[in-house]
Amino acid sequence: MLGQRSPIEQRSPPGCLFFTSRYHFVALLSETRSCDVRPLPPQVTGVVLLSVGLWWRFMLGPYTSLISSGSSNAPYVLTATGGAIVLFGLFGCFATCRGGACMLRLYAVFLSLVFTTELIAGISGFVFRHEIKGTFLTTFSDAVRRYDGRDDRSLAVDGVQRRLLCCGVNNYTSWLGSLYFPAGGVPASCCVSFADCGATDLKDAALASHKVHKQGCYELVTSFLEGNMGIIAGVTFGVAFSQLIGMSLACCLSRLIHANQYEMV
């Protein structure tokens, strides 16, 4: 009848009625008599973090030396965190199928730790964004000054200049004080057109100014980050707060099972 609550909703403890009525999670398990394991928000975010970590490690690996003065563990942390979330997501599905209240509580505790870590990382990145920009300026300037065209950092600088269509730190004049300029001039990766960019032209600062990109790489990167800071922050906090859905569901089911009001399948 209209307005009549289902038997499961009538037996639900206070605070769990929202989830049983909105997601029909408990009703689905009790009516189908099976464990219908579907991707939950924590598992989805785990896959996202895992993918980002792997992408950073294998696609952005050469550019890591331009971001920090030392080796960065960020891709490994993202990969490990994403993998752990996926595994614990499967553990949460198993706990739901078995009706284990203690296992669900353990799953909720893990999600709370992940949520706290992600929230702290997001806030720290936003608060210390200017320090991050300063570190990038220092490391990129040092890479330009010590450029030799052969080592990993030099190849990373070439990759940035080709892909972003920029030249030097602030502009092409950043290369005039580098160790490479007296012998090699401005690197060819700065050229607007490689067909119209001879080695002789690149060794002459006046001629090179007409052959290379005008904008510096530092300004291009930082302006992109500043312009998209809202999107970056939104995605970061969205991923973090999505863990709350899994925590709430796990706590709700644990209470139902512990109160012997959850029909075992």
Side-chain angles (χ1 to χ4, degrees):
M1 295 179 63
L2 184 63
Q4 184 177 3
R5 297 167 60 189
S6 66
I8 292 180
E9 291 177 334
Q10 293 174 3
R11 296 194 304 267
S12 298
C16 293
L17 181 59
F18 172 78
F19 293 101
T20 55
S21 60
R22 181 176 178 179
Y23 294 98
H24 301 287
F25 191 71
V26 178
L28 177 65
L29 292 179
S30 60
E31 292 174 3
T32 58
R33 302 287 180 173
S34 63
C35 293
D36 187 10
V37 179
R38 302 177 181 181
L40 297 174
Q43 291 175 282
V44 174
T45 57
V47 172
V48 171
L49 291 177
L50 181 62
S51 302
V52 171
L54 293 175
W55 174 70
W56 188 338
R57 172 64 182 86
F58 294 104
M59 301 301 295
L60 299 182
Y63 307 107
T64 304
S65 59
L66 302 179
I67 301 175
S68 60
S69 55
S71 58
S72 176
N73 295 322
Y76 302 103
V77 173
L78 287 174
T79 302
T81 302
I85 291 175
V86 172
L87 291 177
F88 267 85
L90 296 176
F91 173 79
C93 292
F94 174 77
T96 302
C97 294
R98 294 294 302 271
C102 293
M103 290 189 292
L104 285 170
R105 292 194 191 97
L106 178 61
Y107 179 57
V109 170
F110 169 77
L111 289 182
S112 66
L113 294 176
V114 172
F115 167 75
T116 303
T117 303
E118 292 174 345
L119 190 62
I120 292 175
I123 294 175
S124 300
F126 181 78
V127 172
F128 296 105
R129 63 188 185 281
H130 297 296
E131 285 77 1
I132 295 174
K133 289 168 56 178
T135 301
F136 172 66
L137 176 61
T138 302
T139 54
F140 192 76
S141 300
D142 185 67
V144 168
R145 187 173 64 85
R146 298 176 180 273
Y147 178 91
D148 62 7
R150 296 186 300 272
D151 63 11
D152 291 339
R153 287 212 303 176
S154 299
L155 296 177
V157 170
D158 285 333
V160 169
Q161 294 185 144
R162 288 194 189 96
R163 288 171 172 78
L164 300 183
L165 304 180
C166 57
C167 185
V169 181
N170 299 310
N171 50 49
Y172 81 97
T173 58
S174 301
W175 289 103
L176 303 184
S178 66
L179 301 176
Y180 181 80
F181 184 79
V186 178
S189 57
C190 282
C191 293
V192 176
S193 173
F194 291 102
D196 188 34
C197 211
T200 303
D201 297 335
L202 294 175
K203 292 181 181 180
D204 189 315
L207 292 176
S209 63
H210 303 288
K211 306 286 185 178
V212 299
H213 296 289
K214 306 299 183 182
Q215 190 172 18
C217 297
Y218 174 74
E219 179 185 357
L220 191 63
V221 172
T222 54
S223 62
F224 171 80
L225 293 177
E226 290 290 343
N228 294 276
M229 184 59 67
I231 298 176
I232 297 173
V235 171
T236 302
F237 289 113
V239 169
F241 279 95
S242 66
Q243 312 298 331
L244 293 178
I245 299 177
M247 290 168 53
S248 300
L249 287 173
C251 291
C252 180
L253 287 176
S254 176
R255 289 179 61 188
L256 287 169
I257 295 170
H258 186 72
N260 293 323
Q261 294 175 336
Y262 179 74
E263 185 178 355
M264 303 296 294
V265 296

